[in-house]
Amino acid sequence: MNQFDVIIRGGIVVTATDTFRADVGIRHGKIMTVANILTDGTKIIDASGLLVMPGGIDSHVHLAQPSFDGPAMADGFESGTRSAVAGGNTTVLPFALQPRGASLRSSVVNYHKEADGQSYCDYGFHLIVTDPTPSVLSQELPALVEDGYTSFKVFMTYDDLVLNDRQLLEVFSSARDCKALVMVHCEGYDAIRFMTERLEAVGKTAPYYHAVSRPESVEREATHRAISHAELTDVPIMIVHVSGREPMEQIRWAQNRGMKIYGETCPQYIALTSEDLKGLNMDETGGKYVCSPPPREKESWEAVWSGIKTGVFQTFSSDHCPFFYEGVGGKLNDKARTSFRWVPNGIPGVETRLPILYSRGVAEGRITVNEFVALTSTNHAKIYGLYPEKGSIAPGFDADIVLWDPNRKETISQRLMHHGADYTPYEGQQVTGWPVMTLLRGKIVAEEGKIVGSKSDGRFLKRRLSPYAMPGSNR
Ligand code: DUC
Ligand code: ZN
Ligand code: ZN
């Protein structure tokens, strides 16, 4: 019998800290050896000219998430994870949403039914807490954390999701008790409602006004409020999908005070602008780019890069939240044509996250390839309790690997995508660097844009407590 099931030969191994030429020996889905020259493998994969990196971990995706009165999402687990592996990812962390009045546990049970046997990559769940009743806080959350759902998301806006300040403080405090990490959507509910009603009253209803209704000041205020609540309750938090300079500076301010406040940003904040939302009327394409927080002005990209380069942001996630553009269930549905407020909120991006960051970051010289690995894989594993099984290339880690062609030039196009949506907001953008093969626990699941794995390959990941969620430094 051969020593290794698979040898990846002749590539350049890249981790969050090192870059070196080595062969990678895999057995039973695990990395056994990373060494100069390996022989004795059942299957040899030639990686010469390629980078050998940990598979992407996308810790912020929405799949099969129920919407209350709007159109259904364009991706369930099958198409969403198909798209993920085609884009070089091996783990996704979507959200199990608690509808108000329902128990969190029943939401998790239902969400498992969506995912079981339907996933091309590994997955875990964050919980979205919308109804923090005393029993949710004191019984359900601790039990679910114990079962491996070790992070929750809370919202500071949206009618069906928003928590008031008292509720935020209660959830933060429970998270502290059970050592879970809270992700916070920071946009202020009342300010958005005020702006939306004013804009609608003067007929400013086109998609572009979505961005006008929630400017950076609204995100900055909510970010500061969340940080203050984290200080009061002495709990670490992750501010998700940070769009520009003003909220980024709030996080930097808190970090400079020694607080455990983490930051996530996303491709739409370095590759799209609010100009993309411009259309003269509802038939124009602006609706394709409606997401929250919205993309900002082009100058904002450099502020986001400064946050990436100086470590304000630990994770770069897609916030993949796909809807169809055309059709009765699309972004341009009849109700959505009456006002931006009804345009389904979110864009697809799990498949394009890695190429966009590699191209604009590494190929254009803004970040190192090691920083790329940290931002797209290693830090996600460490922060969300998946380390040391996921997120690096070293003996003992799962053999979750992407082979990456650093020189390949592609033009992003819907034609290349594997997601369920009928468009990509990055259509026509040129990138340098592209995934050519994705291995999940040693098995090839995507190769040259073709899915060769099966939807029963993915496993549910029961996550550990995150060391990043340990309290004690925010006060
Ligand atoms: N928040 C997200 O995280 N995703 C999509 C929409 C939203 O508001
Ligand atoms: Zn959000
Ligand atoms: Zn999201």
Side-chain angles (χ1 to χ4, degrees):
M1 195 172 61
N2 291 315
Q3 190 182 359
F4 302 109
D5 301 328
V6 180
I7 292 173
I8 299 175
R9 179 172 288 165
I12 304 294
V13 174
V14 185
T15 70
T17 49
D18 299 303
T19 308
F20 53 97
R21 207 220 68 82
D23 291 354
V24 179
I26 298 168
R27 188 165 170 80
H28 296 152
K30 293 272 184 192
I31 297 170
M32 297 279 291
T33 311
V34 181
N36 205 4
I37 293 179
L38 295 176
T39 53
D40 200 17
T42 307
K43 181 177 176 66
I44 310 287
I45 297 173
D46 178 12
S48 45
L50 301 176
L51 305 180
V52 180
M53 302 192 283
I57 300 175
D58 195 338
S59 59
H60 188 152
V61 305
H62 304 263
L63 303 175
Q65 196 171 292
S67 69
F68 296 98
D69 55 356
M73 281 196 154
D75 277 324
F77 275 81
E78 182 176 353
S79 58
T81 58
R82 186 175 71 204
S83 184
V85 296
N89 301 283
T90 47
T91 295
V92 293
L93 297 180
F95 297 84
L97 185 151
Q98 173 201 27
R100 290 219 176 103
S103 82
L104 262 174
R105 176 67 73 175
S106 65
S107 312
V108 166
V109 168
N110 290 338
Y111 210 53
H112 270 291
K113 288 184 192 148
E114 297 284 344
D116 290 353
Q118 298 295 319
S119 191
Y120 288 90
C121 65
D122 288 352
Y123 57 94
F125 304 156
H126 309 290
L127 311 171
I128 293 180
V129 183
T130 65
D131 201 1
T133 62
S135 73
V136 164
L137 292 169
S138 63
Q139 290 163 30
E140 286 208 273
L141 281 179
L144 285 161
V145 170
E146 185 74 28
D147 289 348
Y149 310 90
T150 54
S151 46
F152 344 128
K153 183 174 179 195
V154 290
F155 285 79
M156 297 172 79
T157 189
Y158 296 123
D159 288 332
D160 299 312
L161 307 174
V162 63
L163 301 188
N164 63 32
D165 286 325
R166 173 64 191 255
Q167 291 173 314
L168 288 170
L169 287 161
E170 299 285 6
V171 174
F172 284 16
S173 178
S174 282
R176 185 184 202 278
D177 292 343
C178 47
K179 302 190 173 55
L181 187 62
V182 192
M183 309 159 80
V184 192
H185 178 122
C186 296
E187 290 184 296
Y189 176 81
D190 284 317
I192 293 170
R193 280 202 66 128
F194 170 81
M195 290 296 289
T196 301
E197 286 168 17
R198 288 231 159 166
L199 288 162
E200 285 180 342
V202 294
K204 293 186 171 173
T205 55
Y208 173 67
Y209 295 102
H210 170 75
V212 180
S213 74
R214 43 217 307 157
E216 257 187 81
S217 60
V218 168
E219 190 182 346
R220 179 195 66 213
E221 178 278 326
T223 303
H224 188 85
R225 189 152 39 101
I227 291 169
S228 300
H229 293 348
E231 180 177 355
L232 207 58
T233 48
D234 187 23
V235 69
I237 57 171
M238 165 68 81
I239 312 287
V240 291
H241 46 49
V242 177
S243 71
R245 177 180 302 283
E246 301 207 16
M248 184 275 286
E249 284 178 346
Q250 296 299 307
I251 301 170
R252 179 181 275 162
W253 169 82
Q255 291 171 347
N256 286 343
R257 300 173 85 210
M259 295 177 71
K260 286 190 184 176
I261 305 293
Y262 311 115
E264 171 201 83
T265 191
C266 312
Q268 50 270 37
Y269 308 122
I270 57 165
L272 300 176
T273 72
S274 52
E275 291 293 301
D276 289 314
L277 279 91
K278 277 201 170 143
L280 295 178
N281 56 51
M282 284 291 175
D283 289 332
E284 301 286 333
T285 56
K288 285 185 177 175
Y289 306 92
V290 168
C291 62
S292 294
R296 307 294 182 188
E297 287 69 42
K298 203 164 183 177
E299 299 75 66
S300 164
W301 292 357
E302 281 317 312
V304 173
W305 278 114
S306 122
I308 292 174
K309 289 193 281 197
T310 59
V312 174
F313 299 122
Q314 292 72 41
T315 57
F316 188 86
S317 309
S318 67
D319 195 3
H320 178 82
C321 186
F323 293 94
F324 293 102
Y325 181 60
E326 307 281 356
V328 285
K331 284 199 171 230
L332 275 188
N333 67 74
D334 287 348
K335 192 171 173 191
R337 283 169 192 266
T338 66
S339 168
F340 62 84
R341 89 152 90 179
W342 305 115
V343 178
N345 213 322
I347 56 177
V350 70
E351 195 166 343
T352 42
R353 174 183 73 124
L354 299 183
I356 288 172
L357 186 66
Y358 190 91
S359 186
R360 302 210 172 197
V362 183
E364 292 181 18
R366 293 186 174 93
I367 58 173
T368 66
V369 71
N370 311 97
E371 288 169 322
F372 171 82
V373 168
L375 285 158
T376 55
S377 182
T378 314
N379 291 351
H380 299 251
K382 289 182 173 173
I383 290 173
Y384 292 107
L386 293 169
Y387 201 80
E389 287 82 20
K390 304 285 191 192
S392 193
I393 296 192
F397 280 79
D398 285 358
D400 291 352
I401 292 170
V402 58
L403 303 190
W404 189 268
D405 184 344
N407 300 314
R408 174 125 150 219
K409 293 189 190 309
E410 286 285 355
T411 302
I412 295 175
S413 155
Q414 171 66 6
R415 190 177 47 80
L416 300 177
M417 297 293 110
H418 297 76
H419 57 210
D422 54 358
Y423 78 102
T424 163
Y426 304 103
E427 185 74 35
Q429 295 209 15
Q430 295 186 345
V431 289
T432 301
W434 197 255
V436 297
M437 186 183 286
T438 310
L439 292 95
L440 176 68
R441 285 180 272 100
K443 176 179 174 187
I444 302 172
V445 290
E447 186 173 4
E448 284 293 351
K450 289 202 176 54
I451 305 301
V452 294
S454 115
K455 63 180 183 177
S456 56
D457 284 335
R459 288 188 192 152
F460 171 68
L461 302 171
K462 183 174 165 174
R463 291 179 291 122
R464 307 162 193 269
L465 292 179
S466 164
Y468 286 71
M470 294 309 133
S473 59
N474 280 2
R475 217 184 258 154

